Amino acid sequence: MDKKAYRERMRRKKRQMMIRRYTRLAAYAAALVLVCVFVVRGIIIPIAHWVGGKEPGETVPVQAQTAEADPDAAIRQPLKGQGDLSKASEMTAGWHEDENGRWYQNADGTYFSSGLQDIDGVTYCFDDNGYIQTGWVTKGVKDLYFNDDGSYNPEMKRKMIALTYDDGPGEYTQTLLDCLEENNAHATFFMVGPNVQAYPDAPKRMLELGCELGNHTWDHYQLTTLTLDAAVKEVTDTDDALIEACGQASTVVRAPYGDYNQSIIDAVGKPFFMWSLDSLDWQYKDADLDYNEIMNGDLSDGTIILMHDIHEPSVQASLRIIPELVAQGYKLVTVSELAAAKGVTLQNASYTDFWDSTLASGSVAGYEGNTTEDTSGEDGTSEDGISDGSDSESDDYSDGTDDYSDGEDSYSDGSDGSGEDSYSDGEDGYSDSSDSESYSDGG
């Protein structure tokens, strides 16, 4: 190797060694700065404040509740790593702001994150990085609203509605599930056993999307015409099909034709659900009429809507209804989610809606505001106006000569006492209970 090439090689090597040396020095210097910051903030400043008998800054730091005491409460997050360098540069307790937003500095060098925290009498919500959140924030089953300055606004209430679908799953259910997924919405599906067997992938996906599995019996019979054992078998057979399809049984039940009594509820051992807004889709079978019936109906906070996912027009109407309700500020949830958000612990009882007026009446079983758990009247009618079917002479329910007849295909749910909500026992493709061998999936 000639001398010129050798000298060039030595120069490159010397330059590389110099770069490495300066890199190490820079790393040592950065580490020293961080150590000094931690020592000053974590030891010297707290000692000085303790000696002086006061905390730094004008705002008094507060202690966060532990996650064990309240799962939604903020935690004290220690400064760590490169991502917290902007916070590490701050030396005083109180509010601070950087390019990522506002955050709160504690006197011990920590900051609040991942939950709710009261500071100076105002509730804030901090994200996982310690910055305040604004707008709607979901905590548990509730949505809370935080103003632009991060303060909680208790006046803002997000209206919640439960969409429910009967008689499926069917050939259009996956399209409906696509729409629910796209809109981050949930629904409850009251399914019949034969259709669960025919479309086993649907219940699996329902669970994946956060929807609720409901039971609508096996044969869609009028339960009060059966023995208790036969009525229970109608539910357990469908539960067995659900377990085989997706590994989970139903959590709630809807009786075919809304016909049940307390003895059936007790024997089945699950909450039963009626509805407060009937789309009449089983009757119309017209997407525009289905849409209008819902969007022009009573969409009060706590409403439970009845539809059927075995009818293509019903699903097509839902593809319009779901995004429109979301755009209007509604949160679409399952019936169990709606109950929990309203402070109701579901019992073996019947539920029609979770309106504020219904809750205030004291007639909702399991509501935390109730003073009594007795929800049934002596005449066989529950206090929420829904017939439990135990009194065939009740004005709300006929034994076949008035509101309900298996020949006239008309049933009043009695929820408003008007009888205007009629439910067909044949329009959806099911035979009435007079023919135990007849069943159609609605196609």
Side-chain angles (χ1 to χ4, degrees):
M1 179 183 299
D2 59 32
K3 292 182 179 180
K4 184 176 180 181
Y6 177 76
R7 284 195 297 271
E8 182 61 28
R9 182 177 178 182
M10 291 302 293
R11 277 196 298 271
R12 284 200 302 269
K13 187 173 183 179
K14 186 181 295 184
R15 188 181 305 112
Q16 291 173 352
M17 292 177 64
M18 186 180 302
I19 292 173
R20 290 173 185 168
R21 185 181 301 112
Y22 288 139
T23 301
R24 283 197 300 269
L25 289 174
Y28 292 150
L32 182 60
V33 169
L34 286 175
V35 169
C36 290
V37 168
F38 285 123
V39 169
V40 170
R41 298 178 61 188
I43 300 176
I44 297 177
I45 290 179
I47 291 176
H49 293 159
W50 177 76
V51 172
K54 63 178 182 178
E55 299 289 354
E58 297 179 357
T59 305
V60 179
V62 293
Q63 294 291 330
Q65 301 176 28
T66 62
E68 290 77 10
D70 182 355
D72 292 332
I75 61 173
R76 285 182 181 268
Q77 179 68 50
L79 298 172
K80 60 183 188 302
Q82 196 103 12
D84 290 328
L85 285 180
S86 62
K87 295 185 179 67
S89 64
E90 296 295 340
M91 305 295 288
T92 59
W95 288 105
H96 300 283
E97 187 168 357
D98 59 31
E99 65 275 9
N100 297 310
R102 293 182 69 209
W103 55 282
Y104 188 85
Q105 173 70 57
N106 293 300
D108 61 1
T110 62
Y111 59 91
F112 292 124
S113 71
S114 308
L116 305 174
Q117 182 60 48
D118 284 346
I119 300 175
D120 293 342
V122 179
T123 300
Y124 299 89
C125 186
F126 296 89
D127 66 17
D128 291 344
N129 294 315
Y131 294 100
I132 61 169
Q133 295 180 273
T134 59
W136 289 108
V137 177
T138 299
K139 284 296 175 185
V141 295
K142 295 185 177 180
D143 280 10
L144 308 178
Y145 189 83
F146 295 86
N147 298 318
D148 291 341
D149 63 356
S151 59
Y152 169 55
N153 186 345
E155 301 300 319
M156 293 286 288
K157 304 290 185 183
R158 192 165 196 173
K159 293 184 289 186
M160 304 176 78
I161 281 179
L163 279 172
T164 67
Y165 293 88
D166 286 9
D167 299 343
E171 60 182 305
Y172 314 109
T173 302
Q174 289 290 353
T175 300
L176 174 58
L177 292 174
D178 289 342
C179 182
L180 290 169
E181 182 176 16
E182 290 167 3
N183 290 277
N184 193 29
H186 298 165
T188 305
F189 292 84
F190 291 98
M191 293 172 277
V192 291
N195 282 354
V196 171
Q197 289 185 330
Y199 300 93
D201 289 338
K204 295 178 188 175
R205 191 173 177 210
M206 291 172 191
L207 288 178
E208 292 171 357
L209 299 181
C211 294
E212 186 165 15
L213 306 184
N215 193 313
H216 203 40
T217 75
W218 185 272
D219 292 300
H220 204 271
Y221 288 160
Q222 183 184 345
L223 293 182
T224 56
T225 66
L226 307 177
T227 65
L228 270 183
D229 287 343
V232 170
K233 189 175 186 300
E234 283 287 313
V235 175
T236 56
D237 284 353
T238 295
D239 272 347
D240 289 343
L242 285 169
I243 292 171
E244 183 177 352
C246 64
Q248 181 175 309
S250 65
T251 51
V252 290
V253 177
R254 175 170 284 157
Y257 320 113
D259 181 32
Y260 60 91
N261 56 42
Q262 190 60 43
S263 296
I264 293 173
I265 295 177
D266 291 339
V268 170
K270 295 184 181 185
F272 274 53
F273 276 86
M274 294 288 284
W275 56 89
S276 53
L277 177 56
D278 187 19
S279 66
L280 300 178
D281 59 342
W282 53 268
Q283 176 179 314
Y284 294 144
K285 293 190 175 68
D286 181 289
D288 290 334
L289 293 177
D290 297 343
Y291 171 86
N292 290 332
E293 194 71 28
I294 295 299
M295 299 309 296
N296 295 324
D298 188 344
L299 294 174
S300 300
D301 180 32
T303 289
I304 298 175
I305 297 174
L306 169 65
M307 299 189 77
H308 299 77
D309 54 322
I310 60 170
H311 302 313
E312 184 177 15
S314 302
V315 172
Q316 291 301 316
S318 296
L319 300 185
R320 298 167 57 191
I321 291 168
I322 291 170
E324 185 161 332
L325 288 176
V326 171
Q328 291 182 14
Y330 288 94
K331 185 174 184 179
L332 304 182
V333 296
T334 68
V335 291
S336 290
E337 288 172 333
L338 183 57
K342 297 298 182 180
V344 175
T345 301
L346 291 175
Q347 314 287 313
N348 293 340
S350 176
Y351 300 89
T352 301
D353 62 72
F354 294 103
W355 295 336
D356 288 343
S357 58
T358 307
L359 297 173
S361 72
S363 63
V364 180
Y367 176 50
E368 60 187 16
N370 283 351
T371 57
T372 175
E373 294 186 4
D374 182 12
T375 60
S376 61
E378 294 180 358
D379 63 353
T381 303
S382 64
E383 293 180 9
D384 58 5
I386 297 300
S387 166
D388 66 7
S390 61
D391 182 1
S392 62
E393 299 299 319
S394 167
D395 291 338
D396 289 332
Y397 176 80
S398 168
D399 62 359
T401 59
D402 297 313
D403 292 330
Y404 174 86
S405 168
D406 62 7
E408 293 297 325
D409 294 345
S410 178
Y411 172 75
S412 168
D413 73 355
S415 60
D416 59 3
S418 68
E420 291 180 358
D421 291 335
S422 58
Y423 186 94
S424 167
D425 70 348
E427 290 292 336
D428 57 7
Y430 293 94
S431 71
D432 63 17
S433 56
S434 63
D435 181 2
S436 61
E437 299 299 319
S438 177
Y439 173 85
S440 167
D441 65 1

